[in-house]
Structure formats: structure tokens, C-alpha cells
Amino acid sequence: MTRRAEGGVATTQAFYSRWARLYDTIARRAPGVQSLRERAAERLAPPDGGVVVDMGCGTGANLPSLAARVGPAGRVLGVDFTPGVLEIARDRRLNTVAGDCEHVGVVRGDATRPPVRDADAVFASFVSGMLTDPASVVHAWADIVGPGGRLGLLDLARSTHPVGRPLNDVFRIVVRGTSPPGTRSRLATSPAALLDRRVVAAHRALFDRCVDVEHETHAMGYARLSVGTVADAA
């Protein structure tokens, strides 16, 4: 999880800590979500032996897939600022890669001001919609990996696909219902519309900073995956 300015830090932390177990079940067992995480790690393609940072790692659902990609000589670091989800992520770390967890770590920190200055790859799943200024944050992540580093985003937003579009009203209700208390009443626009704008801004920033960008949509257009290599400075 990352900071949600609209609802306040304490409110957001309490909300996601309270529902951490349910969130973990959804994050790992919702239909197709695990295959999406594995596909994202494959597309990210961090170097063998490299360092990957999972921003807003939540309960650590991405840790096994990312750890398998970098191998035992690499390192995976999950960053999140919510205590409740980090407890689960730490437990998951102990079971990552057949018990070999020395190269997998989790740390409490804000993904908008990450406690890391250098990495070979940065990945974030279902985080962009929580960022007040997603473009700036994605640019900061690109600076961490630097030219030649890998950057990846996996997000949900309302579908523009003909098959998925009829379910957008249901998606809107789910987004509103899962927003922390205090955000729903304070927002000048619907949470789903705000989510859409933030996801678009984040992925656009990735396109701006990267070359060889691969962009895919899945789950009837609701899931959006973008990965690329950070370009040399102009």
C-alpha cells in the first residue's frame, strides 16, 4: 500500500491493516490474478542476479515470482507503509523459493519516497490508482533504476473493451466499496474515474521514460500491464 492523501495516513493504514487477510486472499486467489503476476514478472525480465524493488508490495503476492526471476544471486525488496499487510508479507518471505529467503526482504516505507536509491528493476502492481501524483512517482522510480533499468506497472481500471465495458458499473461499485473511509465523501469525482485518470497518468509516464515498451490488456480490458527499459537521458 502507499499513502492516500485524501483519507489521511492513519486512516489508510488502519483500513488496510484491518482487512489485510481478506486483501491477501483476493490478491492471490482471485481468478486469473496469479497468472497476471507471473506474466508481469516474466515481461519485466529483471536480470539474473539483479535487484528488484516491489513498490507498494502489500502482502507480498509478487515476491515468489520476482524472486524466481532474479535467482538466488539476486535480491527482491518489498516496500509498503501499512503494518498489517507487511506482517503477512514477512510470513510469505519465509516460504519464498522453497524456504531460501535470504535474498528476499520487506521493509516499511513509503513507495512515493522509497528507502532505496539504486536497483535494476522496479515493479508496482495495483498501486498507481493510490498515488496522488502518479506521473511524478513513476518518474522517480525510473530515476532509481536509471538508464537500462527495467520498469513495470500492473493496474486495474475501467474497461474500454467491448466485452468488459458492460461490467464497468459493477467495477465502479467495487472500487467505491474498497476505498478507505474518508476518501469516498471527500472526492470531487467518483473513485473509479479518479482511478482511471491515475492509471493512465502512471502508464503514460512509463511510456515517456522508457523504450521498447510492451503494453498489454487482460481480464476483458480491466488489467493493464506496461513494462519497458528506462531510456538514456536526452
Side-chain angles (χ1 to χ4, degrees):
M1 302 299 115
T2 59
R3 294 181 186 270
R4 272 187 188 263
E6 299 92 350
V9 174
T11 299
T12 302
Q13 288 178 327
F15 177 81
Y16 285 113
S17 291
R18 183 182 306 117
W19 297 105
R21 293 291 173 184
L22 176 60
Y23 171 80
D24 182 56
T25 299
I26 296 171
R28 293 185 299 113
R29 298 182 181 177
V33 70
Q34 190 55 42
S35 62
L36 272 176
R37 294 183 188 279
E38 292 172 1
R39 186 175 185 86
E42 177 186 357
R43 290 292 187 266
L44 184 68
D48 185 54
V51 176
V52 182
V53 181
D54 185 11
M55 297 294 187
C57 68
T59 57
N62 295 319
L63 297 180
S65 297
L66 295 175
R69 289 289 161 184
V70 298
R75 179 157 178 78
V76 178
L77 179 65
V79 176
D80 204 290
F81 89 128
T82 303
V85 299
L86 279 178
E87 290 180 11
I88 299 174
R90 291 189 178 102
D91 290 341
R92 177 150 297 121
R93 167 185 172 270
L94 298 177
N95 298 311
T96 298
V97 193
D100 181 7
C101 61
E102 292 302 315
H103 67 300
V104 179
V106 294
V107 62
R108 185 174 176 183
D110 188 348
T112 67
R113 296 190 294 273
V116 58
R117 297 183 179 180
D118 185 57
D120 297 295
V122 164
F123 179 65
S125 61
F126 314 124
V127 169
S128 300
M130 300 183 183
L131 303 174
T132 303
D133 187 358
S136 293
V137 175
V138 171
H139 282 294
W141 293 346
D143 290 339
I144 288 173
V145 301
R150 297 286 286 169
L151 186 60
L153 301 174
L154 174 62
D155 289 295
L156 295 177
R158 285 183 294 187
S159 178
T160 60
H161 193 282
V163 176
R165 195 181 298 122
L167 298 175
N168 278 338
D169 284 344
V170 175
F171 183 79
R172 176 181 54 79
I173 293 170
V174 171
V175 172
R176 176 171 289 275
T178 55
S179 297
T183 63
R184 285 162 276 190
S185 60
R186 294 184 185 186
L187 294 177
T189 187
S190 76
L194 181 61
L195 172 69
D196 291 348
R197 290 205 296 266
R198 289 176 171 177
V199 168
V200 168
H203 287 246
R204 185 173 294 156
L206 184 148
F207 270 81
D208 289 343
R209 289 298 300 271
C210 293
V211 295
D212 302 326
V213 176
E214 298 178 81
H215 178 74
E216 303 174 355
T217 60
H218 299 275
M220 297 187 295
Y222 287 97
R224 304 177 188 191
L225 171 63
S226 297
V227 296
T229 301
V230 175
D232 293 332

